[in-house]
Every structure is written in C-alpha cells, then in structure tokens.
Amino acid sequence: GIVRSGRMRKDHLVLSVLMPGGRSTVTLAQYPSDWMSRYVDSRVSVQGVMATRFNTHRQIIGLSLFVPGTDFIRIEEAPPSDPFALPALAIANLGRFSARGGWEHRVRVRAVATALEGKNSFVVSDGTDNLYVKTQSSCSVTAGDRVDVVGFSTTENRPTLDEAICRTVGRGQRPPPKLVQAADVLAHDSDIESPYDLAVIRVDGQLLEVSHGPETYTLVLKSGNVIFASALPFSNPVIGLAPGSRIR
C-alpha cells in the first residue's frame, strides 16, 4: 500500500497505509530517524502480526499490523526526494481521470491562501478553483500568502488535499469577493452542493450578537429574513461592533 502519514505513539511509530481494501495502521517497535522522508508517499510491502480494529458497535473499521522493525517493511516504490519539486498542478485538474493512473500519490499545488480554519486547515485558490487543505501539523500561513501545498488529493466531499505539508513562497493577490445574498448561499441542501463552497464571498447584514469561541469570534447576523453566523479570527478585533451595526 501507499504510506499516507505517520505519528509517534509513546515509543512506537504508527504509519497510516492506504491498501486496496482500505486504510490500515502499521506499528513499528523500531524505526529509522528519517522515517518521514523515507516512508511517507512510498509504496511498501509489510510483513507483521495482524489484528482487526472495531468501533464501539463492534463493526470492523480496519486492520492493524504490528512489525518488529524495518526489516519487515520493503519499499517497492520510493517517494520523491523533494516533494516540493513535484510539478505544480491546477486545482481544477485534481481528481480528474488520467490515462497515467489514479491519484494515490501526493501532488503539489501553488495557490493563494484565502481563509484559515484552525491551526491545521485552510483554503487556497489558484484562479482555476478553490481547495480545502488539511495539514499534518501546524502551517505558518496567513490569508494572502502564496503557498506550495503537497498532499493527497481526495474528492469524497469537496476538493481536498489531505495530510499535507506546505511552505510559504511569497505574497499573492486574493480573489475579489463575490457579492451574494445570504438566502442564495443557504439555498442548497449542503455546503458541498453550493457554488459558493470554499469561495470568497461578501454578505451585508445587521449584527445581532457577538460571542467568543476557542479560536474565533462568532458574529450572528441577519440579512433579509435569514439569520446566519460568521467566524472571525481573534487577530481581527471586534471593538466597536455593537448589536444593531450594519457590517459587511
């Protein structure tokens, strides 16, 4: 299978491996110090003791392999020595059918960060489309940064680069926001069916309430007959925003 990521659990290395039947974990008691560059995005063959993983309803959710050391993992296909040297792809082309095969390996996208969501996820745009990024660890990205993002392409819900790594390469120009009505944004059954999903939009409304969350302010607004919430990072102070204010 393809090694997607790894993490330390006490003194063991746990690899997440995508196999033909689904995801499995491989736990190594002994491992090399350069395991990330050696294993992540490689195709491997593993020998070990298998155990079945169950959820709370005793349904099978995957397999675990317990491996004494590196002698029991054979690298069939090594990963790129420099993942940031992969050719940059347009976001609109991610996940499309290719005669060269599927999208099981990592890909690189160069785009501009348009929104941040917590420490390990953000949204980027390259002019062809928008993309949701979930990183392995915190990435020092701010809105407007031009970034190289390398990760595994998934399209189950929305276009996403999963288990990604990133680096900032400069500043870019964020796409101009589209002026929309709140009722139009909420007219779809789910976010992923909306043409505004992951897009930069502008909505005018009347402020009803401001509350504090763990990482953001939550602004409750009313536009027409629609009441909706908007998250604002703590880096943007809300001083002077009183209920009844008209904001954009």
Side-chain angles (χ1 to χ4, degrees), residues 91 109 111-114 122-126 129-133 147 149:
I91 293 175
V109 166
V112 176
T114 58
F122 55 95
V123 180
V124 297
S125 174
D126 68 350
D129 209 340
N130 307 301
L131 182 69
Y132 189 65
V133 178
V147 293
V149 184

Side-chain angles (χ1 to χ4, degrees), residues 5 14 21 23-24 30 35 56 66 78 80-82 93 105 107 133 136 147 155 163 169 206 211 215 224 228 241:
S5 63
V14 181
R23 285 220 188 193
S24 300
Q30 297 178 354
W35 64 265
T56 55
F66 296 89
S81 57
D82 180 6
N93 291 335
H105 288 288
V107 296
V133 178
Q136 293 176 330
V147 293
T155 55
E163 294 159 319
V169 295
Q206 182 180 25
S211 61
E215 296 181 345
F228 62 97
L241 290 182

Side-chain angles (χ1 to χ4, degrees), residues 17 57 65 89 105 115 117 145 161 189-190 203 243:
V17 182
H57 301 288
L65 286 170
L89 301 179
H105 288 288
E117 185 182 62
D145 283 345
L161 276 192
D189 292 336
S190 66
V203 181

Side-chain angles (χ1 to χ4, degrees), residues 54-70:
F54 296 89
N55 61 17
T56 55
H57 301 288
R58 298 199 59 77
Q59 298 168 319
I60 296 176
I61 58 173
L63 301 175
S64 295
L65 286 170
F66 296 89
V67 180
T70 57

Side-chain angles (χ1 to χ4, degrees), residues 173-197:
Q173 185 170 356
R174 300 171 66 188
K178 300 177 181 178
L179 178 60
V180 299
Q181 300 299 317
D184 294 334
V185 176
L186 302 176
H188 301 269
D189 292 336
S190 66
D191 291 342
I192 60 175
E193 296 175 352
S194 170
Y196 306 112
D197 183 44

Side-chain angles (χ1 to χ4, degrees), residues 7 17 50 65 71 94 97 108 123 139 151 153 165 185 211 215 235 237 239:
R7 69 183 188 280
V17 182
M50 186 187 74
L65 286 170
D71 291 343
L94 295 182
F97 172 79
R108 181 172 73 93
V123 180
C139 225
S153 175
I165 56 176
V185 176
S211 61
E215 296 181 345
S235 57
I239 298 174

